[in-house]
Amino acid sequence: MTSAPPLTGPAFDVLSRVFGYSGFRGGQHEIIEHVIAGGDALVLMPTGGGKSLCYQIPALVRPGTGVVISPLIALMQDQVDALRTLGVQAGFLNSTQEAHERRRTEQQFLAGELDLLYVAPEGLGSHATQRLLDQGRIALFAIDEAHCVAQWGHDFRPDYLNLSMLHERWPDVPRIALTATATSATREEIATRLDLTGARHFTASFDRPNIQYRIVGKNEPRRQLLDLLRTEHKGDAGIVYCLSRASVEKTAEFLTQQGIAALPYHAGLDAQTRASNQSRFLREDGLVMVATIAFGMGIDKPDVRFVAHLDLPKSVEGYYQETGRAGRDGLPSTAWLAYGLQDVVQQRKMIETSDGDAAHRRNLGAHLDAMLALCETVQCRRAQLLAYFGQAADPTCGNCDTCLNPPESWDGTVPAQKLLSTVLRLQRERGQKFGAGQSIDILLGKTTEKVTQFRHHELSVFGIGTELREQEWRGVVRQLLAQGLLAVEGDYGTLVLTDASGSVLRREREVMLRREPERTRAPRARRASSGSGGAAPAADLDAAGAAAFERLRAWRASAAKEAGVPAYVIFHDATLRQIAALQPGSLAELSTVSGVGENKLAKYGQPVLEALAAG
Ligand code: ADP
Ligand code: ZN
């Protein structure tokens, strides 16, 4: 996308006056002008790329109210509070609100007093809401988290399917759909389902250069996590994703016992606990949220320093979306995933037993395969991730584990044949199926109880695999599963051959495998953020500046508490740093800092100057 920095016009006026920013980022300007002119748009931009301005500014420039459709009911209050802090008139309608609040918001909308109105997708389906919208003036529809309409996607919301009616009912109102993740197939699905095929499509680079991607072999996941947090992320805020509610609970408890402030979040907790944990995560510093993927969409906390996965995500889209919650402020952050054989077995089993028809299962399988390919690659993770979203990248990024600590690839054809023929013999000669453990014991020639019981020491493959250690064999099994050369079946994850296994057994194909590097911890490359990914790089402060920054932070903490909003809603760290570096002596000088708009200047300008002067 191209954009020349505009210095005049209504969009620029709103940008500088309301938001206090001095220029547009990436494709923002082009998108904003397109929507102001009444055009429809489909916007793909990474998390932290600045999607909100793409609909907020047109909503403020065009006559009427911008109606934002968002699935994030629990975050609407925060979003509205943040806008009000900027002096924007905003409200929301959703099922959590009391009748009188709802009536007041409806009246404000009808009176033309609202710039922005957030509505839950299920709410839009009701006739009452539709009639209400008919009676007011709508500036635009913004469909946030638009990937929720993708039926086989990781965040599917059935209510999103009804949103194609927006165009039928209000054909003259421009629509802008936004998402931070989409392959070209998903993008087509979004466009079709939302009736946006005629819309202009804007696609920004999905690269998040400040995020360091790392995928490590899983052996003692909680210990490995603890090691990561203690050595690299002491006192940092972060998110730990687990597959099941039980492991969320256990992991949160474990971290707490180890002296790390951690909270659980999953769909099994009551709504109040969930809301309170989410609110604490947003408001307090340095909390670790241990969660299922039910948590995180729309979380706009800028200083999440790490996202750790203790279980394998189901798709690359999901992985990208979840890891994208790290480092919205553009500062160095870590995306860390621990992954092992059991993950593959478990996920394949889940697919096999999932609801839906064969096509649905094939689709889930294809998503998992892409995720496994990312885990097993010996190439740059970032390059592979971007290629998955159809974007070209440098072949090496210098800020992922495979770039920092390249793994070797080795010819694993012979071990693969040994393993596959063990599975084959068990099945052919004995009519038996076993899990990975038994096959590995046989290859290693271990006379375990189970080996003796089933007389597996009499098999010709017994003890033919002593060249590899047990852990290495598990790696072979995992990678054969990932490559589709082996499959798992049934409740116990028993190994079975696939159509492709034969070509390996007949020596018709080579099997290249990844050898795990000995060291698991990658050195941290401090890469500065590039413009597209996040906020301004933190200004380096001298001693006086650092002291001023601390005073400003203390002031911000009390102001946030008083207003009942997260600290970053008042001012971001980046803004406070700039203020601390500049040490402005007047309101006029303070207003030149990025992030200080008209309303915040009027509200907080004086206290900020006082906090500075107190030093
Ligand atoms: P997204 O919704 O794409 O994840 P946001 O809209 O929340 O991202 O923007 C990320 C951060 O960048 C926010 O703090 C926002 O205020 C800031 N931002 C967005 N556009 C600009 C800009 N043109 N100049 C400076 N900061 C910006
Ligand atoms: Zn890389």
Side-chain angles (χ1 to χ4, degrees):
M1 283 185 289
T2 56
S3 77
L7 295 167
T8 55
F12 181 75
D13 178 56
V14 172
L15 178 76
S16 66
R17 196 168 41 79
V18 177
F19 295 92
Y21 297 143
S22 54
F24 288 110
R25 275 192 193 154
Q28 280 178 334
H29 183 225
E30 223 181 331
I31 298 164
I32 287 168
E33 294 296 348
H34 177 73
V35 177
I36 289 176
D40 292 337
L42 174 53
V43 173
L44 282 76
M45 215 186 248
T47 305
K51 283 184 289 300
S52 329
L53 290 194
C54 295
Y55 60 84
Q56 287 169 351
I57 292 182
L60 288 165
V61 170
R62 286 176 61 89
T65 303
V67 176
V68 185
I69 295 124
S70 163
L72 312 166
I73 294 178
L75 292 169
M76 282 183 183
Q77 185 68 58
D78 276 356
Q79 286 172 322
V80 163
D81 287 346
L83 285 164
R84 288 186 182 151
T85 311
L86 292 164
V88 174
Q89 302 306 312
F92 66 84
L93 296 176
N94 71 34
S95 53
T96 65
Q97 121 198 90
E98 310 232 351
H100 70 273
E101 288 176 279
R102 187 180 183 92
R103 263 199 312 280
R104 201 180 59 223
T105 306
E106 289 177 351
Q107 278 155 6
Q108 286 176 320
F109 169 72
L110 292 173
E113 289 166 9
L114 290 181
D115 300 313
L116 283 154
L117 176 63
Y118 286 78
V119 185
E122 56 274 24
L124 256 191
S126 88
H127 291 297
T129 306
Q130 292 176 7
R131 271 198 305 277
L132 172 79
L133 293 182
D134 276 336
Q135 290 162 38
R137 184 157 189 192
I138 307 171
L140 57 83
F141 286 111
I143 303 163
D144 204 6
E145 313 289 352
H147 62 282
C148 289
V149 80
Q151 257 182 314
W152 284 343
H154 51 98
D155 285 325
F156 175 58
R157 309 271 169 132
D159 288 310
Y160 263 64
L161 293 175
N162 297 325
L163 296 181
S164 60
M165 65 87 175
L166 294 177
H167 189 43
E168 289 151 27
R169 194 169 176 121
W170 296 281
D172 300 328
V173 178
R175 293 165 304 147
I176 171 170
L178 311 102
T179 176
T181 171
T183 57
S184 54
T186 309
R187 186 180 353 162
E188 290 315 312
E189 191 179 351
I190 295 172
T192 312
R193 292 194 190 281
L194 293 179
D195 199 2
L196 280 170
T197 42
R200 248 183 90 179
H201 293 195
F202 299 87
T203 306
S205 165
F206 274 20
D207 191 15
R208 300 285 310 279
N210 59 310
I211 297 182
Q212 183 175 95
Y213 296 99
R214 281 150 59 181
I215 302 180
V216 306
K218 189 195 273 192
N219 36 60
E220 278 183 285
R222 289 195 189 108
R223 283 274 147 209
Q224 290 171 281
L225 173 70
L226 189 63
D227 183 47
L228 173 81
L229 300 200
R230 287 208 171 134
T231 56
E232 297 180 57
H233 287 289
K234 231 184 171 115
D236 283 346
I239 306 173
V240 176
Y241 282 112
C242 305
L243 200 58
S244 71
R245 297 172 186 184
S247 73
V248 164
E249 297 279 355
K250 266 196 230 127
T251 307
E253 217 177 279
F254 170 77
L255 290 179
T256 308
Q257 280 163 5
Q258 300 295 326
I260 291 173
L263 299 169
Y265 189 105
H266 58 71
L269 295 170
D270 61 89
Q272 206 184 337
T273 308
R274 281 204 309 268
S276 136
N277 287 358
Q278 172 167 296
S279 165
R280 283 188 60 192
F281 178 70
L282 295 176
R283 280 164 178 75
E284 293 173 29
D285 282 333
L287 280 187
V288 175
M289 185 67 110
V290 186
T292 59
I293 55 170
F295 176 77
M297 206 202 301
I299 291 294
D300 59 359
K301 187 175 169 62
D303 57 354
V304 174
R305 289 275 71 85
F306 65 88
V307 170
H309 282 92
L310 286 185
D311 296 298
L312 185 70
K314 293 186 175 65
S315 70
V316 178
E317 283 101 322
Y319 171 74
Y320 178 80
Q321 185 89 340
E322 285 139 30
T323 54
R325 290 165 191 148
R328 293 168 72 104
D329 55 9
L331 299 176
S333 309
T334 310
W336 181 91
L337 159 65
Y339 146 79
L341 171 59
Q342 205 46 41
D343 286 294
V344 192
V345 173
Q346 188 179 23
Q347 297 257 359
R348 291 259 196 250
K349 197 173 95 189
M350 275 166 53
I351 292 175
E352 199 188 326
T353 57
S354 78
D355 298 336
D357 55 10
H360 181 51
R361 282 197 291 275
R362 259 201 307 284
N363 192 284
L364 294 175
H367 278 120
L368 177 60
D369 287 343
M371 188 63 222
L372 293 173
L374 179 66
C375 291
E376 301 293 359
T377 187
V378 291
Q379 325 253 290
C380 173
R381 308 266 191 211
R382 188 183 313 274
Q384 179 139 345
L385 203 50
L386 291 173
Y388 184 76
F389 293 110
Q391 300 190 341
D394 288 341
T396 52
C397 74
N399 195 25
C400 75
D401 56 349
T402 60
C403 283
L404 291 166
N405 199 7
E408 283 168 44
S409 79
W410 60 290
D411 185 344
T413 312
V414 172
Q417 285 166 341
K418 289 180 180 176
L419 182 80
L420 294 180
S421 59
T422 305
V423 175
L424 183 73
R425 271 163 215 287
L426 283 173
Q427 204 174 330
R428 282 254 181 92
E429 296 173 15
R430 303 289 183 85
Q432 295 168 340
K433 289 175 185 169
F434 282 91
Q438 184 72 358
S439 296
I440 293 172
D441 284 347
I442 294 170
L443 285 163
L444 291 173
K446 285 195 188 168
T447 38
T448 63
E449 217 170 281
K450 207 161 156 192
V451 164
T452 316
Q453 181 193 345
F454 290 97
R455 303 202 336 271
H456 285 165
H457 53 278
E458 291 167 11
L459 290 168
S460 59
V461 288
F462 187 75
I464 61 165
T466 50
E467 74 274 29
L468 298 183
R469 287 173 293 131
E470 176 172 348
Q471 190 60 25
E472 292 169 315
W473 274 116
R474 293 181 73 82
V476 173
V477 176
R478 193 188 74 220
Q479 297 188 62
L480 292 182
L481 285 171
Q483 295 186 26
L485 296 171
L486 191 62
V488 285
E489 186 182 87
D491 278 352
Y492 300 103
T494 52
L495 299 177
V496 291
L497 300 184
T498 69
D499 292 344
S501 308
S503 60
V504 178
L505 285 166
R506 292 190 299 272
R507 290 161 214 273
E508 287 163 13
R509 82 183 257 184
E510 269 192 355
V511 181
M512 294 308 290
L513 298 175
R514 172 191 163 101
R515 198 189 307 279
E516 306 306 327
E518 284 300 316
R519 267 185 329 140
T520 50
R521 194 179 313 146
R524 172 153 301 272
R526 293 259 162 200
R527 273 180 44 147
S529 111
S530 81
S532 70
D540 276 324
L541 298 170
D542 57 17
F549 179 63
E550 287 314 319
R551 283 201 304 284
L552 289 167
R553 267 166 57 103
W555 162 78
R556 181 181 65 178
S558 65
K561 198 150 190 202
E562 197 174 311
V565 297
Y568 57 84
V569 166
I570 310 266
F571 285 124
H572 279 192
D573 278 0
T575 303
L576 288 195
R577 274 179 189 277
Q578 274 189 44
I579 297 173
L582 182 70
Q583 305 257 354
S586 67
L587 289 176
E589 212 183 335
L590 177 61
S591 75
T592 63
V593 172
S594 177
V596 184
E598 218 169 44
N599 202 63
K600 287 192 180 176
L601 185 72
K603 206 162 171 181
Y604 302 126
Q606 209 52 50
V608 162
L609 294 182
E610 279 162 22
L612 282 173

